[in-house]
Coordinates of all heavy atoms in Angstrom, one line a residue:
M12 N -11.7 -2.0 -22.5 CA -10.7 -1.8 -21.5 C -10.9 -0.4 -20.9 O -11.1 0.6 -21.7 CB -9.4 -1.9 -22.2 CG -8.2 -1.7 -21.2 SD -6.6 -1.9 -22.0 CE -6.5 -3.6 -22.4
T13 N -10.9 -0.3 -19.6 CA -11.1 1.0 -19.0 C -9.8 1.8 -19.2 O -8.7 1.4 -19.4 CB -11.3 0.8 -17.5 OG1 -10.1 0.3 -16.9 CG2 -12.4 -0.1 -17.2
M14 N -9.9 3.1 -18.9 CA -8.8 4.0 -18.9 C -7.7 3.6 -17.9 O -6.5 3.6 -18.2 CB -9.1 5.4 -18.5 CG -8.1 6.4 -18.8 SD -8.4 8.2 -18.4 CE -9.8 8.5 -19.5
L15 N -8.0 3.1 -16.8 CA -7.1 2.7 -15.7 C -6.3 1.4 -16.3 O -5.1 1.3 -16.3 CB -7.7 2.2 -14.4 CG -6.9 1.7 -13.3 CD1 -5.7 2.7 -13.0 CD2 -7.7 1.4 -12.1
E16 N -7.1 0.4 -16.9 CA -6.4 -0.7 -17.6 C -5.3 -0.3 -18.6 O -4.3 -0.8 -18.8 CB -7.3 -1.7 -18.0 CG -8.0 -2.6 -16.9 CD -6.9 -3.3 -16.1 OE1 -5.9 -3.9 -16.8 OE2 -6.9 -3.4 -14.9
E17 N -5.9 0.7 -19.4 CA -5.0 1.2 -20.5 C -3.8 1.8 -19.9 O -2.6 1.6 -20.4 CB -5.7 2.2 -21.4 CG -6.8 1.6 -22.2 CD -7.5 2.7 -23.1 OE1 -7.0 3.8 -23.2 OE2 -8.6 2.4 -23.3
W18 N -3.9 2.5 -18.9 CA -2.7 3.2 -18.2 C -1.8 2.0 -17.6 O -0.6 2.2 -17.8 CB -3.2 4.1 -17.0 CG -2.1 4.6 -16.2 CD1 -1.8 4.4 -15.0 CD2 -1.2 5.6 -16.7 NE1 -0.7 5.0 -14.5 CE2 -0.3 5.8 -15.5 CE3 -0.9 6.3 -17.8 CZ2 0.9 6.7 -15.6 CZ3 0.2 7.1 -17.9 CH2 1.1 7.3 -16.8
I19 N -2.2 1.1 -16.9 CA -1.5 0.1 -16.4 C -0.7 -0.6 -17.5 O 0.6 -0.9 -17.4 CB -2.3 -1.0 -15.6 CG1 -2.9 -0.3 -14.3 CG2 -1.5 -2.1 -15.2 CD1 -4.0 -1.1 -13.6
E20 N -1.3 -1.0 -18.5 CA -0.7 -1.6 -19.7 C 0.5 -0.7 -20.3 O 1.5 -1.2 -20.6 CB -1.7 -1.9 -20.8 CG -2.8 -2.9 -20.5 CD -2.5 -4.3 -20.8 OE1 -1.6 -4.5 -21.6 OE2 -3.1 -5.1 -20.2
A21 N 0.1 0.5 -20.4 CA 1.2 1.5 -20.9 C 2.4 1.6 -20.0 O 3.6 1.6 -20.5 CB 0.5 2.8 -21.2
V22 N 2.1 1.7 -18.7 CA 3.2 1.8 -17.8 C 4.0 0.5 -17.8 O 5.3 0.5 -17.7 CB 2.7 2.2 -16.4 CG1 3.8 2.2 -15.4 CG2 2.1 3.6 -16.4
C23 N 3.3 -0.6 -17.8 CA 4.0 -1.9 -17.8 C 4.9 -2.0 -19.1 O 6.1 -2.4 -19.0 CB 3.1 -3.1 -17.8 SG 2.4 -3.3 -16.2
R24 N 4.5 -1.6 -20.2 CA 5.3 -1.6 -21.4 C 6.5 -0.7 -21.3 O 7.6 -1.0 -21.6 CB 4.5 -1.2 -22.6 CG 3.6 -2.3 -23.2 CD 3.1 -1.9 -24.5 NE 2.4 -0.7 -24.6 CZ 1.1 -0.5 -24.3 NH1 0.4 -1.5 -24.0 NH2 0.4 0.7 -24.4
E25 N 6.3 0.5 -20.7 CA 7.3 1.5 -20.6 C 8.4 1.1 -19.6 O 9.6 1.4 -19.9 CB 6.7 2.9 -20.0 CG 7.6 4.0 -20.0 CD 8.1 4.5 -21.3 OE1 7.4 4.3 -22.3 OE2 9.2 5.1 -21.4
L26 N 8.0 0.3 -18.6 CA 9.0 -0.2 -17.6 C 9.5 -1.5 -17.8 O 10.4 -2.1 -17.0 CB 8.4 0.0 -16.1 CG 7.9 1.5 -15.8 CD1 7.4 1.4 -14.4 CD2 9.2 2.4 -15.8
G27 N 9.0 -2.3 -18.8 CA 9.5 -3.5 -19.1 C 8.9 -4.6 -18.2 O 9.5 -5.5 -17.9
L28 N 7.6 -4.4 -17.6 CA 7.0 -5.3 -16.7 C 6.0 -6.1 -17.4 O 5.3 -5.6 -18.3 CB 6.4 -4.5 -15.6 CG 7.2 -3.6 -14.7 CD1 6.3 -2.7 -13.8 CD2 8.2 -4.4 -14.0
A29 N 5.8 -7.4 -16.9 CA 4.8 -8.1 -17.4 C 3.4 -7.7 -16.8 O 3.4 -7.6 -15.5 CB 5.1 -9.6 -17.2
R30 N 2.3 -7.5 -17.5 CA 1.1 -7.1 -16.9 C 0.6 -8.1 -15.9 O 0.0 -7.8 -14.9 CB 0.0 -6.9 -18.0 CG -1.4 -6.6 -17.6 CD -1.4 -5.3 -16.8 NE -2.7 -5.1 -16.3 CZ -3.2 -5.3 -15.1 NH1 -2.3 -6.0 -14.3 NH2 -4.4 -5.0 -14.6
G31 N 0.9 -9.4 -16.1 CA 0.5 -10.4 -15.1 C 1.1 -10.3 -13.8 O 0.6 -10.8 -12.7
E32 N 2.2 -9.5 -13.7 CA 3.0 -9.3 -12.4 C 2.2 -8.2 -11.6 O 2.5 -8.0 -10.4 CB 4.4 -8.9 -12.6 CG 5.2 -9.9 -13.2 CD 6.6 -9.4 -13.5 OE1 6.8 -8.6 -14.4 OE2 7.5 -9.8 -12.6
V33 N 1.3 -7.4 -12.2 CA 0.7 -6.3 -11.4 C -0.7 -6.7 -10.9 O -1.5 -7.0 -11.6 CB 0.5 -5.1 -12.4 CG1 -0.2 -3.9 -11.7 CG2 1.9 -4.8 -13.0
D34 N -0.9 -6.7 -9.6 CA -2.1 -7.0 -9.0 C -2.8 -5.8 -8.6 O -2.6 -5.2 -7.5 CB -1.9 -7.9 -7.7 CG -3.1 -8.4 -7.1 OD1 -4.1 -8.0 -7.3 OD2 -3.0 -9.5 -6.4
R35 N -3.5 -5.3 -9.6 CA -4.2 -3.9 -9.5 C -5.0 -3.9 -8.2 O -5.0 -2.9 -7.4 CB -5.0 -3.7 -10.7 CG -5.8 -2.4 -10.6 CD -6.9 -2.4 -11.5 NE -8.0 -3.2 -11.2 CZ -8.8 -3.7 -11.9 NH1 -9.0 -3.4 -13.2 NH2 -9.7 -4.6 -11.5
D36 N -5.9 -4.8 -8.0 CA -6.8 -4.9 -6.9 C -6.0 -4.9 -5.6 O -6.5 -4.2 -4.5 CB -7.7 -6.0 -6.9 CG -8.8 -5.9 -8.1 OD1 -8.9 -4.8 -8.7 OD2 -9.3 -6.9 -8.5
L37 N -4.9 -5.6 -5.4 CA -4.2 -5.6 -4.2 C -3.7 -4.2 -3.8 O -3.8 -3.8 -2.7 CB -3.1 -6.6 -4.4 CG -2.1 -6.7 -3.1 CD1 -2.7 -7.5 -2.1 CD2 -0.8 -7.4 -3.6
V38 N -3.1 -3.5 -4.8 CA -2.6 -2.3 -4.6 C -3.7 -1.2 -4.2 O -3.6 -0.4 -3.3 CB -1.7 -1.8 -5.7 CG1 -1.3 -0.3 -5.5 CG2 -0.5 -2.7 -6.0
L39 N -4.8 -1.2 -5.0 CA -5.8 -0.4 -4.8 C -6.5 -0.6 -3.4 O -6.8 0.4 -2.6 CB -6.9 -0.4 -5.9 CG -6.5 0.1 -7.2 CD1 -7.5 -0.1 -8.3 CD2 -6.1 1.6 -7.2
D40 N -6.7 -1.8 -2.9 CA -7.2 -2.2 -1.8 C -6.3 -1.6 -0.6 O -6.8 -1.1 0.5 CB -7.5 -3.7 -1.6 CG -8.7 -4.2 -2.4 OD1 -9.4 -3.3 -2.9 OD2 -8.8 -5.4 -2.5
L41 N -5.1 -1.9 -0.8 CA -4.0 -1.5 0.2 C -4.1 0.1 0.3 O -4.2 0.7 1.4 CB -2.7 -1.9 -0.1 CG -1.5 -1.4 0.7 CD1 -1.7 -1.9 2.1 CD2 -0.1 -1.7 0.2
A42 N -4.1 0.8 -0.8 CA -4.2 2.2 -0.8 C -5.5 2.8 -0.1 O -5.4 3.7 0.7 CB -4.2 2.8 -2.2
R43 N -6.6 2.1 -0.3 CA -7.8 2.5 0.3 C -7.8 2.3 1.9 O -8.1 3.2 2.7 CB -9.0 1.6 -0.2 CG -10.3 1.9 0.5 CD -11.3 0.8 0.3 NE -10.7 -0.4 1.0 CZ -10.8 -1.6 0.5 NH1 -11.4 -1.8 -0.7 NH2 -10.3 -2.7 1.1
D44 N -7.2 1.2 2.3 CA -7.0 0.9 3.7 C -6.1 2.0 4.4 O -6.5 2.3 5.5 CB -6.4 -0.5 4.0 CG -7.3 -1.6 3.6 OD1 -8.5 -1.3 3.3 OD2 -6.9 -2.8 3.3
V45 N -5.0 2.3 3.8 CA -4.2 3.4 4.3 C -4.8 4.7 4.3 O -4.8 5.4 5.3 CB -2.8 3.3 3.7 CG1 -2.0 4.5 4.1 CG2 -2.1 2.1 3.9
A46 N -5.5 5.1 3.3 CA -6.2 6.3 3.2 C -7.2 6.5 4.2 O -7.4 7.6 4.7 CB -6.8 6.5 1.7
H47 N -8.0 5.4 4.5 CA -9.0 5.5 5.5 C -8.5 5.4 6.9 O -9.0 5.9 7.9 CB -10.1 4.5 5.2 CG -10.9 4.7 3.9 ND1 -11.8 5.7 3.9 CD2 -10.8 4.3 2.7 CE1 -12.3 5.8 2.6 NE2 -11.7 4.9 2.0
G48 N -7.5 4.6 7.1 CA -7.1 4.2 8.5 C -5.9 5.0 9.0 O -5.7 5.2 10.2
V49 N -5.1 5.8 8.1 CA -4.0 6.5 8.4 C -4.2 8.0 8.0 O -4.6 8.8 8.6 CB -2.6 5.9 7.9 CG1 -1.5 6.7 8.4 CG2 -2.5 4.4 8.4
A50 N -3.9 8.2 6.7 CA -4.1 9.5 6.0 C -4.1 9.3 4.5 O -3.3 8.5 4.0 CB -2.9 10.4 6.5
R51 N -4.8 10.2 3.9 CA -4.9 10.1 2.4 C -3.5 10.1 1.7 O -3.2 9.4 0.8 CB -5.8 11.1 1.8 CG -7.3 10.7 2.1 CD -8.2 11.7 1.4 NE -8.0 11.6 0.0 CZ -9.0 11.8 -0.9 NH1 -10.1 12.2 -0.4 NH2 -8.8 11.7 -2.1
P52 N -2.7 11.1 2.2 CA -1.3 11.1 1.4 C -0.5 9.9 1.7 O 0.5 9.6 1.0 CB -0.6 12.3 2.1 CG -1.8 13.2 2.7 CD -2.9 12.2 3.0
G53 N -0.8 9.1 2.7 CA 0.0 7.9 2.9 C -0.3 6.8 2.0 O 0.5 5.9 1.8
A54 N -1.4 6.9 1.2 CA -1.8 5.8 0.3 C -0.8 5.7 -0.9 O -0.2 4.6 -1.1 CB -3.3 6.1 -0.3
P55 N -0.4 6.7 -1.6 CA 0.6 6.5 -2.7 C 2.0 6.2 -2.1 O 2.7 5.4 -2.6 CB 0.6 7.8 -3.4 CG 0.0 8.9 -2.6 CD -1.0 8.1 -1.5
L56 N 2.4 6.8 -0.9 CA 3.6 6.5 -0.4 C 3.7 5.0 0.1 O 4.8 4.3 -0.1 CB 3.9 7.4 0.8 CG 4.0 8.9 0.5 CD1 4.0 9.7 1.7 CD2 5.3 9.1 -0.3
T57 N 2.6 4.5 0.6 CA 2.6 3.2 1.0 C 2.6 2.1 -0.2 O 3.3 1.2 -0.1 CB 1.4 2.8 1.9 OG1 1.3 3.7 3.0 CG2 1.3 1.4 2.3
A58 N 1.9 2.5 -1.2 CA 2.1 1.7 -2.4 C 3.6 1.7 -2.9 O 4.1 0.7 -3.3 CB 1.2 2.3 -3.6
F59 N 4.2 2.8 -2.9 CA 5.7 2.8 -3.2 C 6.5 1.9 -2.3 O 7.4 1.1 -2.7 CB 6.1 4.3 -3.2 CG 7.6 4.4 -3.5 CD1 8.2 4.2 -4.8 CD2 8.5 4.6 -2.4 CE1 9.5 4.4 -5.0 CE2 9.8 4.7 -2.6 CZ 10.4 4.6 -4.0
L60 N 6.3 2.0 -1.0 CA 7.0 1.2 0.0 C 6.7 -0.3 -0.3 O 7.6 -1.1 -0.2 CB 6.6 1.6 1.4 CG 7.0 3.0 1.8 CD1 6.4 3.4 3.2 CD2 8.5 3.1 1.8
L61 N 5.5 -0.7 -0.6 CA 5.0 -2.0 -1.0 C 6.0 -2.4 -2.2 O 6.5 -3.5 -2.2 CB 3.6 -2.2 -1.2 CG 3.2 -3.6 -1.7 CD1 3.4 -4.6 -0.7 CD2 1.7 -3.5 -2.2
G62 N 6.0 -1.6 -3.1 CA 6.9 -1.9 -4.3 C 8.3 -2.2 -4.0 O 9.0 -3.0 -4.5
L63 N 8.9 -1.3 -3.1 CA 10.3 -1.5 -2.7 C 10.4 -2.9 -2.0 O 11.4 -3.6 -2.2 CB 10.7 -0.4 -1.7 CG 10.9 1.0 -2.3 CD1 11.2 1.9 -1.3 CD2 12.1 1.0 -3.4
A64 N 9.5 -3.1 -1.1 CA 9.5 -4.5 -0.4 C 9.4 -5.7 -1.3 O 10.2 -6.6 -1.2 CB 8.4 -4.6 0.7
V65 N 8.7 -5.5 -2.3 CA 8.4 -6.6 -3.3 C 9.7 -6.7 -4.0 O 10.2 -7.8 -4.5 CB 7.1 -6.4 -4.1 CG1 7.1 -7.4 -5.4 CG2 5.9 -6.5 -3.3
G66 N 10.2 -5.7 -4.5 CA 11.5 -5.6 -5.3 C 12.6 -6.2 -4.6 O 13.5 -6.7 -5.2
R67 N 12.5 -6.2 -3.2 CA 13.6 -6.8 -2.4 C 13.2 -8.3 -2.1 O 13.9 -9.0 -1.2 CB 13.8 -6.1 -1.1 CG 14.3 -4.7 -1.4 CD 14.7 -3.9 -0.2 NE 15.4 -2.7 -0.5 CZ 15.5 -1.7 0.3 NH1 15.1 -1.8 1.6 NH2 16.1 -0.6 0.0
G68 N 12.1 -8.8 -2.7 CA 11.8 -10.2 -2.4 C 10.6 -10.6 -1.6 O 10.2 -11.7 -1.4
A69 N 10.0 -9.6 -0.9 CA 8.9 -9.9 -0.1 C 7.7 -10.3 -1.0 O 7.4 -9.7 -2.0 CB 8.5 -8.7 0.7
P70 N 7.0 -11.3 -0.7 CA 5.7 -11.7 -1.4 C 4.7 -10.5 -1.2 O 4.5 -10.0 -0.1 CB 5.2 -12.9 -0.7 CG 6.3 -13.5 0.0 CD 7.2 -12.3 0.4
A71 N 4.1 -10.0 -2.4 CA 3.2 -8.9 -2.4 C 2.0 -9.0 -1.5 O 1.7 -8.1 -0.7 CB 2.7 -8.6 -3.9
R72 N 1.4 -10.2 -1.6 CA 0.1 -10.4 -0.8 C 0.6 -10.4 0.8 O -0.2 -9.8 1.6 CB -0.5 -11.6 -1.1 CG -1.2 -11.5 -2.4 CD -2.2 -12.5 -2.7 NE -3.0 -12.2 -3.9 CZ -4.0 -11.4 -4.0 NH1 -4.4 -10.8 -2.9 NH2 -4.6 -11.1 -5.1
D73 N 1.7 -11.0 1.1 CA 2.1 -11.0 2.6 C 2.3 -9.6 3.1 O 2.0 -9.3 4.1 CB 3.3 -12.0 2.8 CG 3.0 -13.4 2.5 OD1 1.8 -13.8 2.5 OD2 3.9 -14.2 2.4
A74 N 3.2 -8.9 2.3 CA 3.6 -7.5 2.7 C 2.3 -6.6 2.8 O 2.2 -5.9 3.7 CB 4.5 -7.0 1.7
A75 N 1.4 -6.7 1.8 CA 0.2 -5.9 1.9 C -0.7 -6.3 3.0 O -1.2 -5.4 3.6 CB -0.6 -6.1 0.6
A76 N -0.8 -7.6 3.3 CA -1.6 -8.0 4.5 C -0.9 -7.3 5.9 O -1.7 -7.0 6.7 CB -1.6 -9.4 4.6
R77 N 0.3 -7.4 5.9 CA 1.0 -6.8 7.2 C 0.8 -5.3 7.2 O 0.4 -4.8 8.3 CB 2.5 -7.1 7.1 CG 2.8 -8.6 7.3 CD 4.3 -8.9 7.1 NE 5.1 -8.1 8.0 CZ 6.4 -8.1 7.9 NH1 7.1 -8.5 6.9 NH2 7.0 -7.3 8.8
I78 N 0.8 -4.6 6.1 CA 0.6 -3.2 6.0 C -0.8 -2.8 6.5 O -1.2 -2.0 7.1 CB 0.9 -2.6 4.7 CG1 2.5 -2.8 4.5 CG2 0.6 -1.1 4.7 CD1 2.9 -2.4 3.0
T79 N -1.9 -3.6 5.9 CA -3.2 -3.5 6.1 C -3.5 -3.6 7.6 O -4.2 -2.9 8.1 CB -4.1 -4.4 5.2 OG1 -4.0 -4.0 3.9 CG2 -5.5 -4.3 5.7
E80 N -2.9 -4.7 8.2 CA -3.2 -4.8 9.6 C -2.6 -3.7 10.4 O -3.3 -3.3 11.4 CB -2.4 -6.2 10.0 CG -2.7 -6.5 11.5 CD -2.0 -7.9 11.8 OE1 -1.8 -8.8 11.0 OE2 -1.7 -8.0 13.1
L81 N -1.5 -3.2 10.0 CA -0.9 -2.0 10.7 C -1.8 -0.8 10.5 O -2.1 -0.2 11.5 CB 0.4 -1.8 10.1 CG 1.3 -0.7 10.8 CD1 1.6 -1.0 12.3 CD2 2.5 -0.4 10.0
A82 N -2.3 -0.6 9.3 CA -3.1 0.6 9.2 C -4.5 0.5 9.8 O -5.0 1.5 10.4 CB -3.5 0.6 7.6
E83 N -5.1 -0.8 9.8 CA -6.5 -1.0 10.6 C -6.3 -0.6 12.0 O -7.3 -0.1 12.7 CB -6.9 -2.3 10.3 CG -7.4 -2.6 8.9 CD -7.7 -3.9 8.6 OE1 -7.4 -4.9 9.4 OE2 -8.4 -4.2 7.5
G84 N -5.2 -0.8 12.7 CA -5.0 -0.5 14.1 C -4.3 0.8 14.4 O -4.0 1.0 15.6
W85 N -4.1 1.5 13.4 CA -3.1 2.6 13.5 C -3.7 3.7 14.5 O -2.9 4.1 15.4 CB -2.9 3.3 12.2 CG -1.9 4.5 12.2 CD1 -2.2 5.7 12.1 CD2 -0.6 4.3 12.5 NE1 -1.0 6.4 12.2 CE2 0.1 5.5 12.4 CE3 0.3 3.2 12.7 CZ2 1.4 5.8 12.6 CZ3 1.7 3.4 12.8 CH2 2.2 4.6 12.8
E86 N -4.9 4.1 14.4 CA -5.5 5.2 15.3 C -5.5 4.7 16.8 O -5.2 5.4 17.6 CB -6.9 5.6 14.8 CG -7.4 6.8 15.4 CD -6.5 8.0 15.3 OE1 -6.0 8.1 14.2 OE2 -6.4 8.8 16.2
A87 N -5.9 3.4 16.9 CA -5.9 2.9 18.4 C -4.5 2.8 18.9 O -4.4 3.2 20.2 CB -6.5 1.5 18.3
R88 N -3.5 2.4 18.1 CA -2.1 2.5 18.6 C -1.7 3.9 19.0 O -1.0 4.1 19.9 CB -1.2 1.9 17.5 CG -1.3 0.4 17.3 CD -0.2 -0.1 16.4 NE -0.3 -1.5 16.2 CZ -1.0 -2.1 15.1 NH1 -1.6 -1.3 14.2 NH2 -1.1 -3.4 14.9
R89 N -2.0 4.8 18.1 CA -1.6 6.2 18.3 C -2.2 6.8 19.6 O -1.6 7.4 20.4 CB -2.0 7.1 17.2 CG -1.1 6.8 15.9 CD -1.4 7.9 14.9 NE -0.9 9.2 15.3 CZ -1.5 10.4 15.2 NH1 -2.7 10.3 14.7 NH2 -1.0 11.4 15.5
K90 N -3.5 6.4 19.8 CA -4.2 6.8 21.1 C -3.6 6.2 22.3 O -3.4 6.9 23.3 CB -5.7 6.6 20.9 CG -6.4 7.6 20.0 CD -7.9 7.2 19.9 CE -8.6 8.1 19.0 NZ -9.9 7.8 18.7
A91 N -3.3 5.0 22.1 CA -2.6 4.2 23.3 C -1.3 4.8 23.6 O -1.0 4.9 24.8 CB -2.6 2.7 23.0
A92 N -0.5 5.1 22.7 CA 0.7 5.7 22.8 C 0.5 7.1 23.6 O 1.4 7.4 24.4 CB 1.6 5.8 21.6
G93 N -0.3 7.8 23.0 CA -0.5 9.1 23.7 C -1.1 9.1 25.0 O -0.6 9.9 25.9
A94 N -2.0 8.1 25.4 CA -2.5 8.0 26.7 C -1.5 7.6 27.7 O -1.6 8.0 28.9 CB -3.6 7.0 26.7
S95 N -0.4 6.8 27.3 CA 0.6 6.4 28.3 C 1.6 7.5 28.4 O 2.6 7.3 29.1 CB 1.2 5.1 27.7 OG 2.1 5.4 26.5
G96 N 1.5 8.7 27.6 CA 2.4 9.7 27.7 C 3.8 9.4 27.0 O 4.7 10.2 27.2
A97 N 3.8 8.4 26.3 CA 5.1 7.9 25.6 C 5.3 8.8 24.4 O 4.4 8.8 23.5 CB 5.0 6.5 25.3
A98 N 6.4 9.3 24.2 CA 6.8 10.0 23.0 C 7.7 9.1 22.1 O 8.8 9.3 22.0 CB 7.5 11.3 23.3
Q99 N 7.0 8.0 21.7 CA 7.7 7.0 20.9 C 6.9 6.6 19.7 O 5.7 7.0 19.6 CB 8.0 5.9 21.7 CG 6.9 5.2 22.4 CD 7.2 4.1 23.4 OE1 8.3 4.0 23.7 NE2 6.2 3.3 23.7
S100 N 7.4 5.9 18.9 CA 6.8 5.3 17.6 C 5.7 4.4 18.1 O 5.9 3.7 19.1 CB 7.7 4.7 16.7 OG 8.6 5.6 16.3
P101 N 4.6 4.3 17.4 CA 3.5 3.3 17.7 C 4.2 1.9 17.6 O 5.1 1.7 16.9 CB 2.5 3.5 16.7 CG 2.7 4.9 16.2 CD 4.2 5.2 16.3
P102 N 3.6 0.9 18.3 CA 4.1 -0.5 18.2 C 4.2 -1.0 16.9 O 3.5 -0.6 16.0 CB 3.1 -1.4 19.1 CG 2.4 -0.3 19.9 CD 2.4 1.0 19.2
G103 N 5.4 -1.6 16.6 CA 5.6 -2.3 15.3 C 6.4 -1.3 14.3 O 6.7 -1.8 13.3
L104 N 6.7 -0.2 14.9 CA 7.5 0.7 14.0 C 8.9 1.0 14.5 O 9.7 1.6 13.8 CB 6.7 2.0 13.8 CG 5.5 2.0 12.9 CD1 5.0 3.3 12.8 CD2 5.7 1.3 11.6
A105 N 9.2 0.6 15.7 CA 10.5 0.8 16.3 C 11.5 0.1 15.5 O 11.4 -0.9 15.0 CB 10.5 0.6 17.7

């Protein structure tokens, strides 16, 4: 068992979560997409937001896919918003 797996197991025990409920790869992939497509500090914050959404009933894979799609087009959306001179949130965030 890797150190990361040991950590996940320990945190699950501490928080009363079933290890089977934790999709490690889903969260790590999402964090990578946000870190590369938006900003590194956005990765842990986005993982937290995903957790909030899942806690409110959103399916984890669906929510992660939506966030990944948003992250992948983030820079293009920002440039488009800047080019139009609009001082508004990028599409999908209003």
Side-chain angles (χ1 to χ4, degrees):
M12 183 179 292
T13 67
M14 187 182 302
L15 179 58
E16 280 300 316
E17 290 176 22
W18 173 249
I19 293 168
E20 295 269 340
V22 172
C23 284
R24 278 192 308 273
E25 186 68 24
L26 299 178
L28 301 171
R30 174 60 182 94
E32 293 179 285
V33 179
D34 189 338
R35 179 198 66 199
D36 292 339
L37 177 75
V38 175
L39 292 177
D40 289 346
L41 175 63
R43 180 201 61 227
D44 294 341
V45 172
H47 292 284
V49 181
R51 288 183 64 148
L56 295 171
T57 302
F59 174 76
L60 295 172
L61 174 66
L63 288 177
V65 171
R67 292 182 178 171
R72 289 198 172 276
D73 293 346
R77 291 174 59 195
I78 296 167
T79 294
E80 184 177 335
L81 186 63
E83 288 173 346
W85 187 250
E86 190 60 34
R88 285 185 184 96
R89 289 188 69 229
K90 287 180 182 177
S95 68
Q99 59 188 11
S100 297
L104 292 183

